[in-house]
Amino acid sequence: IISLWLTIPLGCAPTHKISDPGLDKKAGTITQKIRQTNQDINTSKGVGWIKTLNGRHTQKYKIAWAAAFPHKIRITFLVSGHPFETIAADGKKVTFVSHTGNHKLHTTHTRDPDMEEFINIPVKLSELISLLLGRLPVKKYDTAVFSPDDPALKTIVLTKLWSNTRQTLFLDDNNSPVGLKKT
């Protein structure tokens, strides 16, 4: 006779330190409000500035864009008023054009590539478009809690259960977003 014992732990372990349910609800409410901001804006065009930091090297570009949510954009990066790079996405593919001869015309046949590979900015194309539409690209999450390391309650940690997705949302004194970090 063979006997087999299988022990299966039942229940769930918390994914964060025990916290105040009232504060957790407040963190979730603030995050949902931020996620809903500008959701009715589907297109935009404009000019602005973008600064990239790669190690210790900082580069500032003027940009001009026209974008449509979620995967269409034409954005040109300018240096000293001259076109440096243009990215054009039609919802099916993305084309990269160097105006300085840094690379040949390149097309990727994916509609949402990781832009770090191409322009050293660690965002997906859809996240860049969201930012240009005035939306903060907060990913779906299961828990939103104030960071125990921030007694001012201006840092919210967002986690997705059963995945490595984790974001940290930084707030100003009015609970408006001032930063979003993937961790």
Side-chain angles (χ1 to χ4, degrees):
I1 298 175
I2 298 176
S3 166
L4 178 65
W5 288 89
L6 181 61
T7 304
I8 301 174
L10 299 175
C12 297
T15 58
H16 58 278
K17 295 178 184 177
I18 303 300
S19 59
D20 181 324
L23 287 177
D24 292 351
K25 184 176 181 181
K26 181 179 178 181
T29 300
I30 291 169
T31 303
Q32 275 306 108
K33 182 180 176 190
I34 290 169
R35 283 191 82 204
Q36 294 304 314
T37 300
N38 294 332
Q39 291 301 304
D40 55 334
I41 298 174
N42 292 310
T43 61
S44 77
K45 63 180 180 176
V47 295
W49 292 92
I50 188 168
K51 188 187 298 186
T52 62
L53 177 62
N54 188 358
R56 291 186 173 190
H57 183 261
T58 300
Q59 182 68 45
K60 187 175 178 181
Y61 302 97
K62 187 164 189 174
I63 59 172
W65 78 87
F69 186 78
H71 299 106
K72 294 180 180 180
I73 190 169
R74 183 172 190 275
I75 183 169
T76 299
F77 294 78
L78 300 117
V79 176
S80 300
H82 299 284
F84 176 75
E85 183 84 20
T86 295
I87 302 169
D90 65 4
K92 296 177 186 166
K93 63 185 181 305
V94 183
T95 301
F96 299 86
V97 179
S98 172
H99 299 283
T100 60
N102 283 352
H103 61 81
K104 294 180 181 179
L105 181 77
H106 174 72
T107 299
T108 179
H109 294 282
T110 179
R111 63 188 216 169
D112 196 18
D114 185 346
M115 301 306 288
E116 185 167 26
E117 178 182 341
F118 304 104
I119 58 173
N120 294 323
I121 300 175
V123 297
K124 297 196 67 74
L125 181 65
S126 60
E127 294 170 332
L128 179 60
I129 291 169
S130 289
L131 288 168
L132 293 173
L133 295 177
R135 302 176 181 186
L136 197 60
V138 176
K139 295 189 180 304
K140 290 182 181 178
Y141 62 92
D142 293 313
T143 62
V145 297
F146 286 106
S147 172
D149 300 329
D150 181 5
L153 303 178
K154 298 301 173 194
T155 307
I156 299 175
V157 178
L158 308 168
T159 56
K160 180 79 172 150
L161 299 176
W162 311 109
S163 81
N164 291 332
T165 302
R166 185 178 169 126
Q167 292 182 304
T168 305
L169 181 60
F170 302 95
L171 308 171
D172 66 10
D173 290 336
N174 298 317
N175 289 335
S176 294
V178 294
L180 181 66
K181 180 180 178 183
K182 294 182 196 178
T183 53

